[in-house]
Amino acid sequence: MVSVAELAGVSVRRGEKLLLDDVNLSIDEGQRWVVIGPNGAGKTTLLSILATTLYPTKGVVGILGEVLGAVNVFELRPRIGLTSASMAHRIPYREKVGDVVVSASYAINGRWHEHYDEMDFERAGRLMDYFGVAHLADRTYGTLSEGERKRVEIARAMMTDPELLLLDEPGAGLDLGGRERLVSTLNQLCASPYAPTTVLVTHHVEEIPAGITHALLLSDGRAAASGPVGEVLTDENMSAVYGMPLHIEQAADGRWTAKAAVTG
Ligand SMILES: Nc1ncnc2c1ncn2[C@@H]1O[C@H](COP(=O)(O)OP(=O)(O)OP(=O)(O)O)[C@@H](O)[C@H]1O
C-alpha cells in the first residue's frame, strides 16, 4: 500500500486549548475517508494539516511522501485538491464559472493574464461536464445556487489532477435536492478507480457516499475511533462521542442514517 498521509502523535495547541490531541492516522492510496465528530471536535483543524496550511505543534506529518516542515509546501499544494468554506469565500463572485475551474491550474482565485493551454480548457470542460455544471460555464459564480457552487468548487479542486482530495463539509447549507445531487456526484466519484484518495468532512452520516471505505471519529481533538467505516460508525462509538444513545444503520445501497435510539 502506498501511503498518502501519515500522522504520528499529532497535536495542535492554541494557548491552553488542544485542538488536536495525539492523533495517529494512516491514509493509503485509493482509500476514501470520512471524518466525523461533534462541533469543535477538530475536523477542520485536521483537514488544514492535510492541506498543508497548518503545522502541528507536536508530532510528525507525512503527506504524499514528504514530511511537513521539511518540504516546500508550495510544490506540494498543487498535488492536493481542497474545497472548504474559506476557499469558497476567496472565489470572486463576478468570475465566470469556466474561469473559476480553469484558474485552479495556476492555484489562483480570479483570472488575470495567465496563459492557459488548450489542454487546460479541455480538462476544465470535462470536469464541468462530469460534475454537471457545464451548462453554467458562462454564468458568474455569484449567480449560482449553493448546490451548483459546491459542484463547481469540487470541479475546481480536481483541476490539477490531485493525488489527495479534501472536501470540508461540501453538503453544508444545501437543501434536500442539492444534498441528494451532491451525494450522487460523490457516490460516482468515490466509485471511480481514477478518483484521488479522498477525505470528506461531514456532520451528517446521510451525506456519506456509498464508496467511503474508512472513517475517523473525532471527539474533543482525539481520535475516538478510526479504521474501516463499518467498524467505526457503530451505535456504541457514535453514542459515546455524541453523548446520547444513537442508532446507526447502513442500507443495502450503502447510504447511512443515524437517529436517537429508542430506550426503555
Ligand atoms: N486559534 C484558536 N484558538 C483557540 N481555539 C481555537 C482556535 N482555532 C480553533 N479553535 C477551537 O478548536 C476547536 C476545533 O476547531 P475545528 O474548527 O477544527 O472543529 P470542527 O470539528 O471543524 O468544528 P465544526 O464542526 O463546528 O466546524 C474548536 O473548539 C475551536 O473553537
Side-chain angles (χ1 to χ4, degrees):
M1 283 272 185
V2 179
S3 171
V4 170
E6 190 84 35
L7 274 63
V10 164
S11 297
V12 175
R13 178 183 284 280
R14 291 290 178 269
E16 288 300 294
K17 181 153 175 77
L18 270 175
L19 281 56
L20 289 178
D21 184 3
D22 195 22
V23 172
N24 297 297
L25 182 66
S26 188
I27 299 177
D28 288 332
E29 192 176 59
Q31 292 180 342
R32 321 273 186 235
W33 280 75
V34 63
V35 179
I36 196 160
N39 286 129
K43 303 181 293 296
T44 295
T45 305
L46 180 90
L47 219 67
S48 304
I49 285 184
L50 293 174
T52 76
T53 54
L54 184 77
Y55 285 55
T57 316
K58 225 171 82 183
V60 179
V61 179
I63 308 269
L64 299 170
E66 308 287 350
V67 175
L68 210 56
V71 61
N72 178 353
V73 287
F74 294 101
E75 282 174 16
L76 204 49
R77 283 184 195 157
R79 299 169 63 194
I80 302 166
L82 170 69
T83 73
S84 67
S86 62
M87 284 285 291
H89 282 137
R90 276 180 258 146
I91 298 176
Y93 266 33
R94 296 173 69 173
E95 184 89 348
K96 281 198 176 159
V97 166
D99 291 341
V100 169
V101 176
V102 81
S103 63
S105 43
Y106 272 84
I108 56 164
N109 297 304
R111 273 194 71 177
W112 190 233
H113 292 307
E114 327 77 46
H115 173 75
Y116 295 95
D117 291 335
E118 204 44 47
M119 269 170 60
D120 292 328
F121 290 112
E122 274 171 26
R123 180 167 175 81
R126 274 201 308 278
L127 285 166
M128 285 189 284
D129 216 21
Y130 186 88
F131 292 106
V133 291
H135 63 294
L136 303 170
D138 290 326
R139 285 262 299 277
T140 53
Y141 176 76
T143 64
L144 303 187
S145 77
E146 206 53 50
E148 290 164 344
R149 276 183 206 169
K150 292 281 155 61
R151 282 180 287 133
V152 168
E153 288 157 26
I154 300 174
R156 177 182 158 86
M158 291 286 290
M159 186 62 201
T160 56
D161 195 12
E163 293 152 75
L164 174 63
L165 178 66
L166 307 172
L167 306 170
D168 194 357
E169 295 191 42
L174 298 190
D175 68 12
L176 186 57
R179 182 191 82 180
E180 288 306 298
R181 274 190 290 277
L182 180 79
V183 172
S184 144
T185 302
L186 295 179
N187 276 342
Q188 199 183 335
L189 190 67
C190 285
S192 164
Y194 303 109
T197 305
T198 301
V199 180
L200 162 78
V201 168
T202 181
H203 275 288
H204 303 291
V205 298
E206 291 78 4
E207 288 172 9
I208 299 176
I212 288 288
T213 58
H214 291 74
L216 167 67
L217 186 54
L218 275 180
S219 174
D220 213 7
R222 298 188 69 92
S226 83
V229 63
E231 292 171 22
V232 172
L233 299 186
T234 62
D235 291 2
E236 198 187 352
N237 287 342
M238 294 287 276
S239 303
V241 160
Y242 287 91
M244 65 183 294
L246 290 171
H247 179 55
I248 316 296
E249 253 181 45
Q250 189 178 23
D253 65 359
R255 287 296 290 277
W256 294 85
T257 50
K259 59 184 179 186
V262 181
T263 52

